[in-house]
Amino acid sequence: MKAVAIILAAGEARRMGHPKALLEHEGGKSFLQSLVSTFGKAGCSVIGVIGKDAEAVREQHPAVHLVENDGWQDGQLSSAVSGMEAAIEDGADIVLFHPVDMPALRATTLKSLIKAMGDSVEGLRPEFEGAAGFPIVLSRSAAERLREKDGGATMLEAALRGKELRRIPVKDPGVVVNINTPETYERLFGSAPKLAPPPKRRGKKSETTTSAPSVSAPMEMEAASEGISGT
């Protein structure tokens, strides 16, 4: 069963002031690169959907499979559909949708979600302490139905409203923590938002000496309460 992850990274990021795909997460990696690594460790192929600042994101991530959503201004759902079509073309059996501003989830969580998908399950999503999180995991057929924009929905969650997604409790606060404002970034990382260094400046030294901050679950839940923006 081939799993393809769609990282939604096409939005304008007005509140953050910087393209969220390019923000530094850990070890000199950008949010997008960190997610590509995490999903890859879980056995997923990865596709990033870009729009605003597409050229800069491509330059920063030359090894990442990126597709451009020319209609990114139409909302998150248009990016999800763009990514879904690329994933189906890539032979996906299941598709995982995840916003780029949620880089803290664990590969072990993703493995559990993929394992939980059975032939009779159309979709599922993780929950942490009762709060619904990401990624949203859909079967191939359910993902293809995203083309049907019921009620003119522009957000992925709105398009899935009313559809039964199995909820999977996990012990991973990363599934609900989104980093979509400068204030949240500074609380979690201890500095103002900054961009990841260019790829040529990344090296083993920086990756081994720099690690993600240790963040308590209460602070993470506070960040999550600001809402999941998605891009």
Side-chain angles (χ1 to χ4, degrees):
M1 185 165 62
K2 182 171 184 176
V4 179
I6 308 300
I7 310 300
L8 303 171
E12 191 172 3
R14 288 190 300 270
R15 286 182 293 176
M16 184 62 77
H18 299 284
K20 287 182 278 189
L22 302 181
L23 289 173
E24 184 172 6
H25 182 230
E26 63 173 339
K29 292 181 179 178
S30 67
F31 276 21
L32 178 56
Q33 186 58 53
S34 186
L35 283 168
V36 169
S37 177
T38 299
F39 277 97
K41 290 175 183 176
C44 300
S45 298
V46 182
I47 297 171
V49 183
I50 56 177
K52 182 73 165 62
D53 303 300
E55 184 177 349
V57 177
R58 285 190 184 279
E59 183 177 353
Q60 182 80 351
H61 305 89
V64 179
H65 182 185
L66 300 173
V67 298
E68 190 167 346
N69 174 20
D70 294 330
W72 64 268
Q73 292 177 315
D74 295 333
Q76 184 194 58
L77 182 58
S78 68
S79 292
V81 171
S82 295
M84 176 275 298
E85 291 175 341
I88 297 303
E89 184 177 344
D90 197 34
D93 297 303
I94 63 174
V95 183
L96 301 87
F97 296 92
H98 194 80
V100 76
D101 56 8
M102 300 180 69
L105 80 165
R106 304 166 186 162
T108 52
T109 300
L110 296 173
K111 290 178 181 178
S112 296
L113 295 174
I114 293 170
K115 185 177 181 180
M117 279 291 291
D119 294 337
S120 61
V121 177
E122 279 207 320
L124 54 81
R125 68 186 309 180
E127 65 173 40
F128 177 75
E129 296 185 354
F134 280 83
I136 291 173
V137 188
L138 299 179
S139 67
R140 179 188 179 104
S141 60
E144 288 181 311
R145 289 200 296 274
L146 290 176
R147 297 189 186 98
E148 305 167 8
K149 299 182 180 180
D150 297 337
T154 61
M155 297 297 289
L156 176 59
E157 286 191 281
L160 294 171
R161 194 168 295 139
K163 296 178 174 61
E164 292 187 10
L165 298 180
R166 181 182 172 193
R167 298 274 283 265
I168 307 293
V170 299
K171 297 180 180 180
D172 180 2
V175 303
V176 296
V177 176
N178 65 305
I179 307 171
N180 59 2
T181 67
E183 295 77 17
T184 302
Y185 187 101
E186 186 164 0
R187 283 202 304 273
L188 297 179
F189 294 93
S191 70
K194 59 182 179 180
L195 300 180
K200 63 181 180 180
R201 290 174 53 192
R202 296 187 190 128
K204 293 183 179 179
K205 181 177 180 180
S206 63
E207 292 190 9
T208 56
T209 59
T210 306
S211 59
S214 176
V215 184
S216 65
M219 180 175 286
E220 287 182 326
M221 290 304 293
E222 179 184 355
S225 69
E226 296 180 6
I228 297 173
S229 63
T231 49

